[in-house]
Amino acid sequence: MTSLLLVCAANLCRSPMAEAVLQARAAALGLRVVASAGVWASPRGQAADKRAQQVLSQRGYGLDRRWRSRRVCTDDFDQHDLMLAMDHDVLRGLQAIRPARSSARLGLFLHGMTGLGRDEVPDPYYGTVEGFQRVLDLIEARVQAWPDTTALERYFPVR
């Protein structure tokens, strides 16, 4: 089973939303651990954006009340088999801090998805609640098309 870390910029919107959706389906998808972090998250943990919490709740998902944002650390590269970035900038940020000895696979969350017209999950932070709904649509589409655990290496090769 796979340990998955979902990564966005500040760990306030996209990655916690993806964490909530994937945690709801973790066992069925062969995921042992699902967590999230941000490459540029504040060192002081914050609650997820209220709009993210609102759209998650409207669709029947939720985050633990004690959930707080956190920054990616070097230990994450040892603790997680797969680290998926929400966009190219975040992926470059992960690659920049990755220890040389790490065998964790890095990739884009939407890698391998067809028909979406994009390979990045846009950051909804400076927009409206509708942007958060669109982000949740993308996350749910990715989870619906989640690769079988035997195909994870093909979908998300080591970068």
Side-chain angles (χ1 to χ4, degrees), residues 10-12 41-48 66-71:
N11 194 215
L12 297 174
S42 169
R44 295 171 40 188
Q46 300 172 305
R66 297 167 296 184
W67 186 95
R68 292 293 176 264
S69 64
R70 70 175 188 85
R71 186 176 290 177

Side-chain angles (χ1 to χ4, degrees), residues 81 83 104-105:
D81 309 307
M83 299 171 76
R105 293 188 310 275

Side-chain angles (χ1 to χ4, degrees), residues 77 82-83 91 94-95 98 104-108 157-159:
F77 292 89
L82 181 59
M83 299 171 76
L91 181 56
L94 280 173
Q95 290 165 333
R98 177 189 196 155
R105 293 188 310 275
L106 307 182
L108 287 172
V158 174
R159 289 190 188 218

Side-chain angles (χ1 to χ4, degrees), residues 48-68:
D49 187 285
K50 289 187 185 313
R51 296 164 295 177
Q53 293 180 48
Q54 174 187 344
V55 299
L56 285 170
S57 177
Q58 288 170 348
R59 295 200 197 169
Y61 305 107
L63 289 168
D64 186 295
R65 292 175 154 261
R66 297 167 296 184
W67 186 95
R68 292 293 176 264

Side-chain angles (χ1 to χ4, degrees), residues 14-149:
R14 298 173 290 175
S15 58
M17 291 171 71
E19 178 182 351
V21 174
L22 279 156
Q23 279 186 344
R25 306 256 341 266
L29 298 173
L31 299 171
R32 176 176 45 89
V33 173
V34 176
S36 66
V39 287
W40 302 289
S42 169
R44 295 171 40 188
Q46 300 172 305
D49 187 285
K50 289 187 185 313
R51 296 164 295 177
Q53 293 180 48
Q54 174 187 344
V55 299
L56 285 170
S57 177
Q58 288 170 348
R59 295 200 197 169
Y61 305 107
L63 289 168
D64 186 295
R65 292 175 154 261
R66 297 167 296 184
W67 186 95
R68 292 293 176 264
S69 64
R70 70 175 188 85
R71 186 176 290 177
V72 174
C73 64
T74 55
D75 286 347
D76 287 320
F77 292 89
D78 292 328
Q79 295 172 0
H80 300 285
D81 309 307
L82 181 59
M83 299 171 76
L84 297 180
M86 295 294 154
D87 63 44
H88 289 280
D89 286 338
V90 170
L91 181 56
R92 282 188 290 275
L94 280 173
Q95 290 165 333
I97 62 174
R98 177 189 196 155
R101 61 175 167 52
S102 173
S103 64
R105 293 188 310 275
L106 307 182
L108 287 172
F109 182 73
L110 292 182
H111 179 77
M113 295 293 293
T114 58
L116 295 178
R118 62 182 40 194
D119 65 353
E120 298 181 304
V121 178
D123 190 345
Y125 187 78
Y126 293 105
T128 64
V129 73
E130 288 78 17
F132 285 80
Q133 291 167 340
R134 284 190 294 278
V135 163
L136 189 51
D137 291 341
L138 290 170
I139 292 167
E140 288 179 326
R142 164 82 275 175
V143 173
Q144 280 290 3
W146 193 257
D148 182 277
T149 53

